[in-house]
Amino acid sequence: QLQLVESGGGLVQPGGSLRLSCAASGFTLDYYNIGWFRQAPGKEREGVSCMASSGGTTHYAESVKGRFTISKDNAKNTVYLQMNSLKPEDTAVYYCAVRYYSGTYYCALNMYEYNYWGQGTQVTVSS
């Protein structure tokens, strides 16, 4: 059974860092596009970053460019989101998501492009 489990969220002060993990089981990430999304209270879910299945293409939302980095460890079948210089407006529940799309060099920050989701992990940036 395909499963995604996020971890690594928590409370951090502005300017701090967190690394989110998304562990995949029941399938191999090699053949899937991967996305990180977030949803703040009262707001729509928004795309943060994505990685194409080829691994060579990544995209970031303008609001996180230069601060967040998506990466993947094939041996651990895990995706990461390194978040630096965190701001209060980064506070949200963060989700990872995937869609089977083997061999592509394109990924999208559109949530409707993904059909498997994790349960989310809370990130709170506050002093």
Side-chain angles (χ1 to χ4, degrees):
Q1 183 177 355
L2 191 151
Q3 190 174 17
L4 297 167
V5 179
E6 300 97 334
S7 61
L11 173 64
V12 63
Q13 292 186 343
S17 298
L18 282 175
R19 189 179 78 159
L20 304 184
S21 300
C22 173
S25 61
F27 69 105
T28 302
L29 283 170
D30 290 353
Y31 307 112
Y32 286 75
N33 277 10
I34 303 159
W36 280 101
F37 295 80
R38 66 185 181 186
Q39 188 166 19
K43 294 188 176 181
E44 292 186 354
R45 191 168 299 187
E46 64 172 346
V48 174
S49 180
C50 67
M51 175 181 284
S53 62
S54 68
T57 301
T58 58
H59 288 300
Y60 297 91
E62 285 297 324
S63 58
V64 306
K65 274 185 181 177
R67 300 190 297 123
F68 290 12
T69 304
I70 188 171
S71 62
K72 181 175 65 170
D73 185 328
N74 291 327
K76 295 183 178 180
N77 211 30
T78 299
V79 183
Y80 303 99
L81 186 68
Q82 178 67 44
M83 307 187 295
N84 298 328
S85 302
L86 283 162
K87 305 175 181 179
E89 51 263 45
D90 294 319
T91 296
V93 177
Y94 283 71
Y95 301 87
C96 64
V98 299
R99 177 174 179 166
Y100 181 82
Y101 212 159
S102 179
T104 185
Y105 290 87
Y106 169 78
C107 68
L109 294 179
N110 183 343
M111 61 179 288
Y112 298 104
E113 290 283 326
Y114 300 84
N115 51 5
Y116 294 101
W117 292 80
Q119 83 290 348
T121 185
Q122 175 71 46
V123 172
T124 303
V125 185
S126 175
S127 55

